[in-house]
Amino acid sequence: MPQPQLHLHTDAQFASPYAMSVFVALEEKRLPFTLTTVDLGIGANHQASYAAKSLTERVPTLVHEDFALSESSAITEYLDDAFPDTPVYPQDTQLRARARQLQAWLRSDLMPIRQERSTEVVFYGRRGEPLSPAAEAAAQKLYAAAETLLAQNNANLFGQWCIADTDLALMLNRLILNGDPVPAKLIDYAARQWERPSVQRWLELDRPAL
């Protein structure tokens, strides 16, 4: 059977949490793919050649043969539909919905954390100033949700690993790797998630200096 023709476009710094999510999903599914970087700093994502592939002119964008798709959770859901042999979402309908809910929440809420603890903390070791009251409130909201989901002391959110585990660990690591006070249970959870070979391969990518 011929291998699928998959091409992932990501940011040049490999610092996008959303590109990381798709990269990890591809690795977990053991799907061969090629990788191209897009320099967001010079607006390469708005150039006509890239806009022709990416409807939203953002990264990540995945090209599968003659079909191109942007927005990370849409891509990972597509990958599960197109290549179901190794799922990256729970198979139970309600747990799958909960994983999607968590992904949507992490992408649409908690803005003070994303502003004050950029992924440069995670991938470049930069440190931020103390959290503002708004960011501290967002962090407490994040911890409460994560502890509720991990109430049974599971290694993963829903029994077996799923892509939402990587997304949650990334959000937690924005704070953990900055040295912010995070509940020990969540520090342990994020550390376990960070050990996955698929995550390690993303971390080992050659990043240019900022």
Side-chain angles (χ1 to χ4, degrees):
M1 180 179 294
Q3 294 287 346
Q5 295 179 14
L6 295 165
H7 193 94
L8 177 63
H9 297 265
T10 184
D11 62 304
Q13 281 71 39
F14 303 116
S16 164
Y18 314 118
M20 174 182 172
S21 187
V22 175
F23 180 97
V24 168
L26 287 163
E27 290 283 344
E28 292 284 343
K29 285 181 166 292
R30 297 179 176 82
L31 293 170
F33 64 98
T34 52
L35 189 66
T36 295
T37 60
V38 180
D39 191 340
L40 305 182
I42 63 170
N45 52 310
H46 301 306
Q47 293 175 1
S49 59
Y50 187 73
K53 302 184 188 78
S54 178
L55 183 66
T56 57
E57 299 183 16
R58 303 209 293 182
V59 296
T61 290
L62 181 75
V63 179
H64 177 203
E65 298 176 351
D66 59 353
F67 176 68
L69 186 65
S70 55
E71 303 306 311
S72 59
S73 58
I75 296 170
T76 52
E77 289 177 26
Y78 170 75
L79 289 171
D80 249 16
D81 290 338
F83 307 100
D85 288 350
T86 305
V88 296
Y89 285 93
Q91 296 303 285
D92 176 84
T93 300
Q94 292 185 352
L95 294 181
R96 185 180 181 91
R98 185 70 75 201
R100 288 171 166 171
Q101 177 192 27
L102 179 59
Q103 285 188 301
W105 179 59
L106 293 172
R107 286 157 172 73
S108 63
D109 198 358
L110 309 173
M111 182 58 75
I113 297 176
R114 288 186 277 152
Q115 290 175 330
E116 298 180 30
R117 296 293 182 263
S118 79
T119 53
E120 290 179 7
V121 171
V122 178
F123 302 119
Y124 282 91
R126 286 198 169 184
R127 293 293 186 99
E129 297 296 323
L131 293 173
S132 68
E136 180 60 39
Q140 294 304 319
K141 184 178 179 181
L142 172 65
Y143 303 155
E147 289 185 313
T148 296
L149 290 168
L150 295 165
Q152 303 304 315
N153 294 313
N154 293 328
N156 304 306
L157 287 166
F158 308 114
Q160 291 187 329
W161 175 89
C162 75
I163 193 60
D165 283 297
T166 296
D167 292 347
L168 177 59
L170 185 284
M171 183 62 82
L172 290 169
N173 272 333
R174 292 174 185 260
L175 299 154
I176 294 167
L177 298 178
N178 191 72
D180 296 305
V182 177
K185 175 181 177 179
L186 301 183
I187 293 174
D188 291 344
Y189 163 79
R192 286 194 301 270
Q193 296 301 325
W194 233 232
E195 292 169 357
R196 291 189 74 83
S198 57
V199 173
Q200 286 296 308
R201 282 189 279 275
W202 174 261
L203 297 176
E204 291 164 1
L205 292 172
D206 187 18
R207 290 175 172 80
L210 288 173

